[in-house]
Amino acid sequence: MSTSGAALLEIEDLVTEFGGGKAFLGKPQRIVRAVDGVSVQLKPGQALGLVGESGCGKTTIAKTALGLVREKSGTMRLDGRVVSGLAPKDARKARATIQYVHQDPGAALDPWWSIGHALDEALRIHGVSDKGERTTRIDEMLHAVGLDPSFRTRYPHELSGGQQRRVGLARILVLQPRIVILDEPTSGLDLSVQATVLGVIDELRRRLGLTYLFVSHDLSVVERMCEEVAIMYLGRIVETGPTKQIFAKPQHPYTRALLAAAPRLEPGSLNDTPALPGDPPSPTNLVSGCTFRPRCAFAAPKCAEARPPLLSVGEKHRAACVRLDEIGAPTPA
Amino acid sequence: MMLEKPASVLEIRDLSVSVGTDEGEARILDNVGLSLMPGSIHGIVGESGCGKSTLIRSILGILPKRGRATHGSIMLGERNLLSLPADALQKDVRGRAIGFIPQDPFQALNPVFRVGTQLLENVRTPGDSKATREAKRAHVISLLKAVQLPDAEHALDRYPHQFSGGQRQRLLIAAALAAAPGIILADEPTTALDVTTQLQILKLLRGLAIERDLSMLFVTHDFGVVAQLCDTVTVMYAGQTVESGPVAQVLKAPFHPYTQMLLACHPERAEELAGIPGAVPSPLRPPTGCRFSPRCPHARAECTAGQPPRVAPQPGHAVRCVLHLDEAAA
């Protein structure tokens, strides 16, 4: 059992699987374990970055936390109350204070609905029956994300990419959630627009006391926005801890490779940065022990024996590698 | 000219491109200039709508139907690509002298045909156009080995979905290299890839450029990728080239206010997270003179009088901005 009672959201040993049923004409589907024993904690007001490459399971964690995808095992506590193991409808109801900002709000907004209508509908579904109250809350929220009330009558196609993101944020925040899951909130935006949107996200968090689960593959954005970060590889967390510490001293060989590969503004020699060999393997057919070992420069026979546990490597900083003592200090990033 | 400058392999001078739309003529490129030096990797960086892709399309002669170059020249050696007839472009330039790597490896390959069918059909072997099918096949396999595709011998019999994103991008790089071009144009070839795969591809491109003596134009919106890969860079804004120079200098001490403000938006550098006020102007009604002037904190009357001339305050590092007019002669 966890000792921290202060956590707002506590996820323990979460497993989410897809497939396993029968496909058309009876061929059995393979089981894909998209999330494989993940534990995370969100403290009130915290921003936790969930980082990894495509297919690592970060979006599945977000959807499982929301209750959109049913967990196979593991427990989830919200404010100390167990909200896992429920039927899908009840799970979503119990987790209503967790909300999700879609990756592409342009696709998430109905093109036939004005912005005001979309926000109004969100409030109506969540049981705010008083029309006057809905209008006030919508105006307040549009103002909070930096849009003037004239946007109520506009349609999604009239908005720029940055404005669509703001509407996406407003539509969720108008419901007054406590935990907001941001799924790649700035992917596809230009640098100057990204800066504005990140600024809005940061300010709202402080002003409204929100807690963020920030899902992203952009390391420079996560470094900037989150105090804590969890690095994922193939459904598992391989390293977690304070962002500053992990970016300064990455321990797990995958984290080291990921940080070294991330483009930075310092002109550097490509020749000095070793590239990881190969591609991530298919999650239907995983190797024993550490799943990173086929691509790891430090792999040894003992890596195949058992799944490496997350070991403490510093204050609040943990990494899942059994050879940390042997592979030496990381080169400064 | 005092000093003998090394000849560029591709020289774009004062290129303006307009596209007819239902609402009138849109000037997508406005007096664009760029030199690609032999053996160098030159980045073209800018935000969406700045004209990076139109520039690449102009070089390849594949502008949209209602688009045309109204001014300027694109010199490939002695020849101006803008005045070449369509069949000469197809025969000698596209895929021959200039190879092209497209942006999205998931869309560029047809899912219903084997990779071999697609590569062999389009591949032209250097020199001998009547090469046998076996010779072509051997040539393609040697290229697949050059781009480090695993199991190159059997790759041609497989379908696109059997390859990962990084492997598909390698297939497209092999296709671009097929006729041994001297110049490669790459349009955001790593945007759809994860960072560790991106690093593999960037290293591959760097290695191929050295090995095969290639010059490369690399279009991207990511300054980080420019820092990783490129030797020199041109920054574009709303169809104009605002600054160009060695990557280290442009990133460290940019001259143009737009470059300065854009770099200050980068999460690595931003002191506070705020974008550049205002929005990119519509190419239908662009501001006169410097197109950044309506958003520029240093703008003054002369900015709208005409586009500032290109000056080079430092050798090789040029800018089009009135703030630097007196710093150096062009």
Side-chain angles (χ1 to χ4, degrees):
Chain A
M1 281 292 118
S2 166
T3 50
S4 169
L8 179 58
L9 177 70
E10 239 182 316
I11 295 176
E12 250 179 57
D13 226 6
L14 186 76
V15 175
T16 308
E17 288 182 351
F18 294 114
K22 278 195 175 170
F24 183 56
L25 295 182
K27 200 173 147 198
Q29 283 178 323
R30 284 181 144 171
I31 292 177
V32 176
R33 191 167 267 217
V35 178
D36 185 9
V38 163
S39 303
V40 284
Q41 276 194 4
L42 271 175
K43 297 199 182 66
Q46 186 188 38
L48 171 72
L50 209 50
V51 176
E53 299 182 284
S54 353
C56 74
K58 49 193 197 300
T59 297
T60 308
I61 290 187
K63 292 195 168 159
T64 315
L66 274 169
L68 296 182
V69 173
R70 204 169 179 197
E71 66 275 353
K72 175 150 200 304
S73 64
T75 43
M76 233 182 97
R77 275 186 220 92
L78 190 59
D79 257 340
R81 204 159 52 90
V82 175
V83 292
S84 48
L86 303 170
K89 247 190 171 161
D90 301 329
R92 185 65 205 111
K93 215 174 250 171
R95 301 172 196 179
T97 190
I98 310 178
Q99 292 288 345
Y100 178 81
V101 179
H102 197 273
Q103 206 176 108
D104 180 2
L109 292 167
D110 190 320
W112 298 96
W113 282 13
S114 69
I115 304 309
H117 187 173
L119 266 69
D120 192 66
E121 178 81 354
L123 280 175
R124 241 164 28 81
I125 288 174
H126 283 78
V128 184
S129 53
D130 182 66
K131 179 113 187 29
E133 192 197 334
R134 290 205 301 266
T135 312
T136 329
R137 271 168 74 172
I138 290 169
D139 281 348
E140 273 172 19
M141 196 39 70
L142 283 177
H143 180 73
V145 297
L147 300 173
D148 62 74
S150 73
F151 276 86
R152 289 170 60 100
T153 54
R154 297 212 208 168
Y155 287 84
H157 74 269
E158 298 175 74
L159 309 186
S160 68
Q163 287 166 344
Q164 285 181 355
R165 305 277 163 149
R166 293 176 194 227
V167 170
L169 272 174
R171 185 167 67 152
I172 294 311
L173 295 179
V174 79
L175 304 173
Q176 302 174 331
R178 293 171 67 198
I179 300 174
V180 180
I181 299 175
L182 297 151
D183 193 357
E184 306 274 5
T186 58
S187 72
L189 290 182
D190 277 322
L191 202 48
S192 63
V193 183
Q194 168 176 292
T196 318
V197 172
L198 290 179
V200 171
I201 290 175
D202 212 28
E203 201 218 313
L204 288 169
R205 175 181 159 207
R206 254 174 280 142
R207 188 136 55 97
L208 306 176
L210 295 169
T211 306
Y212 285 159
L213 183 62
F214 200 101
V215 178
S216 180
H217 68 275
D218 189 327
L219 290 155
S220 59
V221 169
V222 169
E223 184 179 16
R224 178 74 200 220
M225 300 292 290
C226 307
E227 304 85 62
E228 289 205 19
V229 62
I231 314 281
M232 291 191 66
Y233 187 75
L234 284 175
R236 298 178 185 173
I237 292 179
V238 295
E239 185 159 358
T240 174
T243 311
K244 271 199 188 117
Q245 212 173 323
I246 289 187
F247 276 72
K249 283 188 199 160
Q251 298 291 321
H252 195 284
Y254 175 66
T255 316
R256 296 184 197 186
L258 187 68
L259 291 180
R264 304 192 75 87
L265 288 183
E266 287 301 312
S269 169
L270 272 179
N271 301 330
D272 299 342
T273 325
L276 274 181
D279 291 300
S282 148
T284 52
N285 192 14
L286 292 180
V287 298
S288 66
C290 172
T291 49
F292 182 59
R293 77 187 156 81
R295 303 174 76 195
C296 182
F298 305 104
K302 70 171 172 181
C303 298
E305 283 165 18
R307 173 180 174 161
L310 277 166
L311 301 170
S312 176
V313 290
E315 201 188 331
K316 293 203 289 181
H317 183 176
R318 292 176 303 151
C321 175
V322 290
R323 297 203 65 210
L324 283 180
D325 296 336
E326 296 153 60
I327 62 183
T331 43
Chain B
M1 211 179 271
M2 299 284 288
L3 282 164
E4 184 89 8
K5 261 179 49 182
S8 55
V9 286
L10 188 72
E11 181 85 31
I12 299 173
R13 278 193 217 112
D14 302 328
L15 178 69
S16 294
V17 168
S18 292
V19 176
T21 72
D22 295 341
E23 293 165 66
E25 193 99 322
R27 201 166 194 198
I28 309 287
L29 294 181
D30 186 32
N31 280 323
V32 164
L34 189 151
S35 329
L36 177 62
M37 301 318 259
S40 76
I41 300 185
H42 186 88
I44 301 175
V45 67
E47 300 182 281
S48 23
C50 74
K52 330 184 267 289
S53 296
T54 305
L55 182 58
I56 294 294
R57 285 167 153 248
S58 309
I59 299 169
L60 294 171
I62 48 169
L63 283 170
K65 263 208 179 112
R66 294 167 80 183
R68 64 200 168 86
T70 54
H71 187 254
S73 61
I74 301 176
M75 301 301 293
L76 177 70
E78 299 294 303
R79 295 196 290 180
N80 182 359
L81 296 185
L82 292 179
S83 52
L84 274 191
D87 59 335
L89 271 175
Q90 175 69 11
K91 207 168 131 239
D92 304 337
V93 178
R94 283 194 291 263
R96 277 269 174 212
I98 303 179
F100 176 61
I101 306 172
Q103 174 168 10
D104 192 341
F106 297 91
Q107 281 183 15
L109 293 164
N110 189 330
V112 301
F113 292 106
R114 286 177 206 277
V115 164
T117 318
Q118 300 185 53
L119 286 185
L120 287 169
E121 181 188 37
N122 296 310
V123 154
R124 301 190 244 175
T125 39
D128 184 10
S129 57
K130 286 190 212 104
T132 61
R133 198 174 162 78
E134 284 69 39
K136 277 188 178 180
R137 207 178 154 87
H139 174 63
V140 171
I141 290 176
S142 76
L143 287 169
L144 294 183
K145 284 182 179 156
V147 298
Q148 296 154 26
L149 192 79
D151 198 17
E153 278 87 358
H154 301 107
L156 293 181
D157 298 323
R158 291 158 69 190
Y159 288 92
H161 76 267
Q162 295 173 294
F163 296 91
S164 70
Q167 289 171 346
R168 273 182 255 190
Q169 199 51 270
R170 287 174 199 267
L171 289 170
L172 296 174
I173 293 171
L177 293 173
I183 299 172
I184 293 281
L185 309 185
D187 191 359
E188 309 227 21
T190 58
T191 304
L193 305 176
D194 281 319
V195 285
T196 56
T197 316
Q198 168 168 284
L199 181 69
Q200 293 175 348
I201 298 291
L202 296 182
K203 283 175 81 105
L204 173 70
L205 288 174
R206 184 37 107 184
L208 289 170
I210 295 167
E211 226 170 79
R212 302 182 170 232
D213 203 16
L214 298 170
S215 316
M216 206 178 291
L217 273 186
F218 191 94
V219 171
T220 179
H221 65 275
D222 188 339
F223 272 108
V225 171
V226 169
Q228 273 179 313
L229 179 73
C230 301
D231 307 304
T232 48
V233 64
T234 292
V235 183
M236 292 185 70
Y237 176 78
Q240 297 179 330
T241 41
V242 298
E243 181 160 5
S244 67
V247 168
Q249 283 184 37
V250 172
L251 288 180
K252 206 171 139 214
F255 288 137
H256 200 281
Y258 173 65
T259 320
Q260 292 167 358
M261 291 171 81
L262 190 61
L263 281 168
C265 287
H266 197 283
E268 250 176 68
R269 293 219 178 143
E271 278 166 28
E272 59 184 292
L273 288 164
I276 303 175
V280 180
S282 152
L284 287 167
R285 285 167 293 278
T288 54
C290 172
R291 291 184 173 182
F292 188 61
S293 58
R295 301 172 79 183
C296 182
H298 309 287
R300 42 200 201 209
E302 59 202 284
C303 295
T304 51
Q307 202 188 358
R310 184 184 147 96
V311 294
Q314 275 174 23
H317 187 174
V319 63
R320 280 172 170 258
C321 178
V322 294
L323 294 177
H324 298 276
L325 274 187
D326 16 324
E327 282 180 38

